[in-house]
Amino acid sequence: SGLTDDSCRSLVRRQSSMSTATGENAVMKRSIQSLLNKVCPENVGTILQNVAALNVKETSHLEILVDLIFNKALAEPHYCETYADLAFGLTAVLPEFSRPAGQGGPAVTLRSVLLGACQREFENLLAAMDEQTSDMDPEEIDALRKSRRDRLRANTRLIGALFLRKLLATKVVGRLCCELTNCSSDQPPEEHAVECVCELLNSVGLTLESQLAGAEVIEQVCQRLKSLKDQKQGESKTIIYCKRIQFTIQDLLDTRGAGWSKISFKSAAKTKEEIRQQQERDEVMAKCSSNKHVVTPGAEKVLVGQRPSYLNFGAMP
């Protein structure tokens, strides 16, 4: 039997509607991508206003926005904090969306979509860390592993930044730390898992330890890491982890022992004013170079794991 005139018209309307939605999504994606390509610490407030003005009115728009922010943050890990600032600001101005008919559960929000993306990426990367194809040569395998390891660490850094902006609960971060270090098992974790937990605690340790539940987790995980650092293989005298991992663990333990302060040489994203202030400090330190306690120019002593100061004032930087 052929299609009736009514069914033909209905089919045409559905196809037209789908085509319109696809076109709108493409325009939305281009607009958001253009704005995110301009993001830096100094203009995050302006970018926030411009994204909010794009009229994100459907769940598909929200998913496009989150996907672009998430992948930009992982591709540019030195800007993780900036993208987390943007996400924090957008949670206050973007609407919630009801789930489709027949699907229960809470409303769809930027926060829920972003945390879901972080979780999926984390689980997928952990599962795929040692996967490889049989036709890959050793150099390709090493490059693939490094790429996955770098992306895993960037995702961990983003998770830490979201926690510091109160977009992620303490219990979630605590559970992640315990899982990464296999606290409930005698089995030592993989090296990439140790790197991740050290990256995470270096990012959030001060704030996490200031909370009762967080302090308990920090103590448990640090004791576990201290034990792992010196753990030997069976009856041999060989330490199970390479020197790089041992130093990574010790650096974390030393940072905690120093009240979560450390000398930083990393090139984090900064505003022009912050760069100017750092240059002034370097000049002062250069004049005082005879003092052995002075920090080397180009480095700075920082307190790691603090919440952004703007949270105390209820406004974006």
Side-chain angles (χ1 to χ4, degrees):
S1 59
L3 292 173
T4 65
D5 290 343
D6 287 343
S7 61
C8 284
R9 285 192 290 268
S10 177
L11 178 60
V12 170
R13 282 195 298 269
R14 286 199 300 271
Q15 290 176 336
S16 177
S17 177
M18 291 173 60
S19 177
T20 300
T22 300
E24 289 179 353
N25 287 344
V27 171
M28 180 65 70
K29 183 174 182 177
R30 286 196 299 270
S31 300
I32 295 171
Q33 186 73 68
S34 176
L35 290 171
L36 295 184
N37 287 340
K38 304 169 185 174
V39 165
C40 68
E42 284 187 312
N43 69 6
V44 65
T46 301
I47 299 297
L48 166 61
Q49 294 175 354
N50 291 337
V51 172
L54 290 177
N55 192 22
V56 176
K57 59 183 181 181
E58 297 178 8
T59 305
S60 61
H61 296 166
L62 185 65
E63 291 172 344
I64 290 169
L65 172 62
V66 169
D67 181 69
L68 291 173
I69 291 176
F70 177 72
N71 282 293
K72 288 283 284 185
L74 266 55
E76 304 168 5
H78 59 292
Y79 272 179
C80 268
E81 289 76 15
T82 302
Y83 287 113
D85 286 336
L86 179 61
F88 173 81
L90 288 171
T91 58
V93 298
L94 293 184
E96 297 182 347
F97 297 96
S98 300
R99 294 186 179 275
Q103 292 186 14
V108 178
T109 65
L110 183 141
R111 178 176 178 270
S112 66
V113 177
L114 180 55
L115 296 185
C118 287
Q119 181 178 352
R120 287 191 301 274
E121 181 74 13
F122 203 87
E123 292 173 350
N124 291 339
L125 283 171
L126 285 177
M129 190 57 66
D130 294 319
E131 287 183 359
Q132 60 197 52
T133 59
S134 57
D135 59 344
M136 296 179 69
D137 60 42
E139 289 186 358
E140 289 176 324
I141 293 173
D142 288 343
L144 180 61
R145 285 176 176 169
K146 183 182 184 304
S147 174
R148 288 171 175 169
R149 188 168 63 245
D150 289 347
R151 191 168 174 87
L152 185 61
R153 291 187 64 180
N155 192 28
T156 303
R157 184 169 177 176
L158 179 59
I159 288 172
L162 295 176
F163 165 75
L164 292 179
R165 287 151 184 80
K166 302 183 179 181
L167 297 177
L168 193 62
T170 298
K171 63 180 182 181
V172 175
V173 175
R175 185 168 64 246
L176 178 59
C177 290
C178 290
E179 289 177 355
L180 286 171
T181 49
N182 286 349
C183 281
S184 59
S185 168
D186 293 332
Q187 180 71 25
E190 298 289 340
E191 288 188 351
H192 55 260
V194 175
E195 285 183 303
C196 280
V197 76
C198 289
E199 177 86 29
L200 183 57
L201 290 183
N202 271 315
S203 298
V204 307
L206 179 67
T207 298
L208 189 63
E209 195 164 27
S210 68
Q211 304 170 19
L212 180 59
E216 294 174 353
V217 168
I218 292 265
E219 179 63 25
Q220 180 183 13
V221 171
C222 284
Q223 288 299 324
R224 171 67 165 159
L225 288 171
K226 185 177 180 180
S227 173
L228 288 170
K229 183 176 74 73
D230 301 319
Q231 187 171 331
K232 296 180 173 60
Q233 295 178 352
E235 299 298 324
S236 72
K237 296 183 179 180
T238 305
I239 304 294
I240 60 175
Y241 293 117
C242 66
K243 289 292 186 182
R244 177 175 57 84
I245 298 299
Q246 293 177 51
F247 290 149
T248 299
I249 294 174
Q250 190 60 53
D251 178 67
L252 172 66
L253 299 177
D254 290 345
T255 299
R256 186 195 180 204
W260 298 105
S261 67
K262 63 187 301 184
I263 305 300
S264 175
F265 293 89
K266 290 185 177 180
S267 55
K270 297 179 180 179
T271 64
K272 292 179 181 178
E273 177 62 21
E274 289 171 334
I275 293 172
R276 184 190 65 76
Q277 292 173 357
Q278 180 61 41
Q279 289 174 337
E280 291 179 353
R281 287 195 293 268
D282 287 350
E283 290 173 1
V284 172
M285 288 188 290
K287 294 176 182 178
C288 303
S289 57
S290 59
N291 185 344
K292 65 180 180 180
H293 299 293
V294 173
V295 178
T296 304
E300 57 183 324
K301 192 170 185 178
V302 296
L303 201 58
V304 296
Q306 299 182 91
R307 293 198 190 278
S309 58
Y310 65 77
L311 290 180
N312 298 325
F313 306 102
M316 289 288 291

